[in-house]
Amino acid sequence: MLQLPKSATVKPVIVFAILIFRFFSLFAQSTITLNINDAKIIINKNIYGHFAEHLGHCIYGGFYVGDTSKTIPNTEGVRNDVIAALKKMKIPLLRWPGGCFADTYHWKDGIGPKDKRPTIVNKWWGGVTEDNSFGTHDFLNMCERLGADPYISGNVGSGTVQELEDWVQYVNFDGRSPMSDRRRSNGREKAWNVKYWGIGNEAWGCGGNMTADYYSNEFRKYATFMSDWNNSGGIARIASGANDTDYHWTETLMNNIPLDMLTGVGVHHYSLINWEHKGSATDFTEWQYFQVLKSAWKMDEIVRGHAAIMDKYDPQKKVAMCVDEWGGWYDVDPGPNPGFLFQQNTMRDAMIAGLTLNIFNNNADRVRLACLAQTINVLQAVILTDKEKLILTPTYHVMEMYSVHQDATLIPLAVKSTNFIVTKDAAPRDTLPAISASASKDKNGFVHISLVNIDDKKTQDISININGISYKSVSGRILVSAHIQDHNTFDEPEKIKPAAFTGSMLKGNVLSVKLPPASVVVLEVKIVFKPEEKKQTKLQNSKRGESFD
């Protein structure tokens, strides 16, 4: 019997399999079912927080240009255009001064007359010498102008309990004390009343290379002296949390720290191919794109894994999960200092942002604070600057579009998604769900549905059912571009920006959506309320704005 060579038989089989898959995928449809009657959990606005570290040109040259700048309009040295952009995005919270920098920062060096402040060498990020001209007053006054809650990361790695205790008293105490008197002598009469405090950063790494048991004891000591017997000041004490899937770290903290001392536990996760070869921010293949999105999807597993551990010790969910560092991380763009972590921001980053925020929304019972890394000119930034120029990135636009979910009521949903299949060497290699979604109901009763199609080749047909209501009308906005590598530049700052979305249609009580490849869409659905539903909406609105702790 004539036997064909192995290569001659295998290759047609692979090609046939691909053709069969593509044929059936033409008729595949994703479905989403929203259960509006089960909507009870509030999506904390602080899930949409941001992160500003003394790193590269995030602070100096990003937020802060100095009060002597004549070419860039500013208020007390902070760029006016940055303030305007972040306010439009509805930034709710800003973390500072780090990051790894936090555990080398001594806050008293950043107060008082600027010309008398000592310098500091930024040992972690580029080895540059900073003049400490941007300090506590600058940051907290800027947060007031932004309308954002400040989130201060305290120095546990190289600092002392006394230093952090003094910082809390300096910014929060309105009575007479050595620290509040010092604040007044530096020009600020009224306390800022900072609520959110991180006790160290990445204690397992750059924050001191501590074990979980050792850090637990350090946390207890610092937390004790930051407040009084009953924490009458109401400060939120947030523990330096785990890296990725280090569930042992979370288990140890939840087991060792009394819950009445613990407001939140951090988690850090970055979307990347691998730490040794992260790839270019703009010049990447579909395979590299897929690998980064696979890492982004892993956030769902990470959040659920840590939440399951927290549920064992805190079944009432009083302790918040705080994902206070997340985002895409690539090889740095060519430049004078690789330690500055500058990278461009493409439609791939828009996919990461939309996908990740949907995960946070859908886990809002436990995730109540998160910080995108970072705000300006560093990693997955929402703003890039070059002297007097400023551009908004695709990630900025996703954050602004998703702001409708802030303090809205989460609508539980079930997603049945078609697969995004990536091929390599002419064969199917790996799959991910193509569709990510979350939904909420705002104080006016409008339903917002955020949708992401990570498949960069195929339009997704989606059928959406909202159980228990009748539709009145639907509108929406879309962020999309011709290529996943597309990005805004200083020469073409509005290449990518939101536009009106016309790909949705109401047929009876079914909402049909055609979601273009590699796109983010936010729909606003106006619904017909029954009288009892109006009363329920009023009751839920009265509960909004409650603290996450």
Side-chain angles (χ1 to χ4, degrees), residues 48-50 86 89 326-328 330 343-354 356-357 372-375 378-384 391-403 479 486-488 496-498 520:
Y48 291 82
H50 291 263
L86 294 180
M89 192 182 68
W326 68 272
Y330 317 115
Q343 61 189 41
Q344 250 293 356
N345 197 285
T346 68
M347 281 302 299
R348 173 173 65 178
D349 297 285
M351 300 298 103
I352 294 172
T356 304
L357 292 171
L372 174 66
Q374 293 190 19
T375 316
V378 173
L379 298 178
Q380 192 173 337
V382 295
I383 292 172
L384 301 178
I391 57 174
L392 307 177
T393 68
T395 299
Y396 172 95
H397 293 304
V398 174
M399 298 292 285
E400 186 273 325
M401 290 166 66
Y402 272 51
S403 66
L479 192 74
D486 286 349
H487 54 279
N488 292 334
I496 301 170
K497 63 180 181 179
V520 178

Side-chain angles (χ1 to χ4, degrees), residues 94-115:
L94 187 60
R95 181 176 180 239
W96 172 86
C100 293
F101 182 82
D103 284 294
T104 65
Y105 181 68
H106 300 284
W107 70 272
K108 292 176 184 176
D109 293 342
I111 60 174
K114 294 183 188 288
D115 60 353

Side-chain angles (χ1 to χ4, degrees), residues 88 120 130 138 165 167 207 221 276 305 319 394 451 453 457 468 538 543:
K88 182 180 178 184
I120 180 174
E130 299 184 6
D138 306 277
E165 180 186 13
W167 205 358
K221 181 170 64 175
E276 290 73 32
V319 179
L451 303 166
N453 175 14
K457 296 288 193 296
K538 230 180 209 184
K543 296 179 179 179

Side-chain angles (χ1 to χ4, degrees), residues 125-435:
W125 307 119
V128 295
T129 300
E130 299 184 6
D131 64 5
N132 269 313
S133 58
F134 187 92
T136 297
H137 287 250
D138 306 277
F139 173 66
L140 296 180
N141 290 343
M142 180 178 75
C143 285
E144 284 186 334
R145 291 198 293 277
L146 286 169
D149 280 325
Y151 172 17
I152 292 179
S153 292
N155 183 347
V156 171
S158 68
T160 65
V161 173
Q162 181 71 58
E163 183 178 22
L164 187 52
E165 180 186 13
D166 285 351
W167 205 358
V168 174
Q169 188 181 101
Y170 185 88
V171 303
N172 280 5
F173 190 62
D174 262 325
R176 291 295 304 274
S177 75
M179 289 300 106
S180 60
D181 286 348
R182 191 169 179 181
R183 180 190 72 237
R184 292 185 186 96
S185 72
N186 287 325
R188 174 76 182 200
E189 175 64 32
K190 193 177 185 310
W192 289 280
N193 294 317
V194 175
K195 179 180 180 63
Y196 301 102
W197 293 83
I199 301 181
N201 168 76
E202 295 189 354
W204 42 264
C206 62
N209 283 301
M210 304 176 196
T211 64
D213 282 306
Y214 182 86
Y215 173 72
S216 296
N217 289 333
E218 287 293 283
F219 178 94
R220 293 170 63 136
K221 181 170 64 175
Y222 275 78
T224 298
F225 290 97
M226 289 173 69
S227 58
D228 57 19
W229 290 102
N230 302 312
N231 189 23
S232 60
I235 64 173
R237 294 166 290 188
I238 300 170
S240 169
N243 181 37
D244 287 334
T245 56
D246 185 357
Y247 301 123
H248 169 73
W249 185 275
T250 298
E251 181 107 37
T252 303
L253 267 55
M254 293 299 295
N255 185 54
N256 290 357
I257 300 171
L259 295 186
D260 62 357
M261 300 180 75
L262 184 63
T263 311
V265 174
V267 174
H268 289 180
H269 172 65
Y270 286 96
S271 301
L272 45 78
I273 298 172
N274 63 66
W275 284 105
E276 290 73 32
H277 303 287
K278 296 185 285 291
S280 167
T282 55
D283 184 15
F284 52 87
T285 64
E286 185 183 44
W287 175 248
Q288 290 172 317
Y289 167 77
F290 182 92
Q291 291 304 305
V292 171
L293 268 293
K294 186 175 183 178
S295 180
W297 258 117
K298 191 173 179 66
M299 182 68 86
D300 188 63
E301 172 195 330
I302 290 169
V303 165
R304 293 179 188 277
H306 288 290
I309 292 166
M310 296 174 75
D311 287 349
K312 286 168 54 180
Y313 299 91
D314 175 34
Q316 294 181 326
K317 301 183 186 291
K318 291 183 177 180
V319 179
M321 186 186 302
C322 304
V323 189
D324 45 16
E325 289 188 29
W326 68 272
W329 195 322
Y330 317 115
D331 291 333
V332 297
D333 283 7
N337 195 324
F340 284 4
L341 302 188
F342 176 85
Q343 61 189 41
Q344 250 293 356
N345 197 285
T346 68
M347 281 302 299
R348 173 173 65 178
D349 297 285
M351 300 298 103
I352 294 172
L355 171 63
T356 304
L357 292 171
N358 283 339
I359 292 169
F360 294 161
N361 288 346
N362 290 327
N363 290 277
D365 60 333
R366 185 62 82 176
V367 180
R368 298 197 283 278
L369 183 152
C371 301
L372 174 66
Q374 293 190 19
T375 316
I376 307 176
N377 295 328
V378 173
L379 298 178
Q380 192 173 337
V382 295
I383 292 172
L384 301 178
T385 64
D386 180 16
K387 300 183 178 65
E388 72 282 357
K389 297 178 181 178
L390 177 148
I391 57 174
L392 307 177
T393 68
T395 299
Y396 172 95
H397 293 304
V398 174
M399 298 292 285
E400 186 273 325
M401 290 166 66
Y402 272 51
S403 66
V404 293
H405 292 303
Q406 291 186 22
D407 284 341
T409 304
L410 175 70
I411 301 175
L413 51 73
V415 178
K416 291 184 179 179
S417 174
T418 56
N419 284 329
F420 169 30
I421 296 186
V422 68
T423 59
K424 192 174 183 185
D425 301 326
R429 183 65 182 269
D430 209 344
T431 65
L432 286 172
I435 299 299

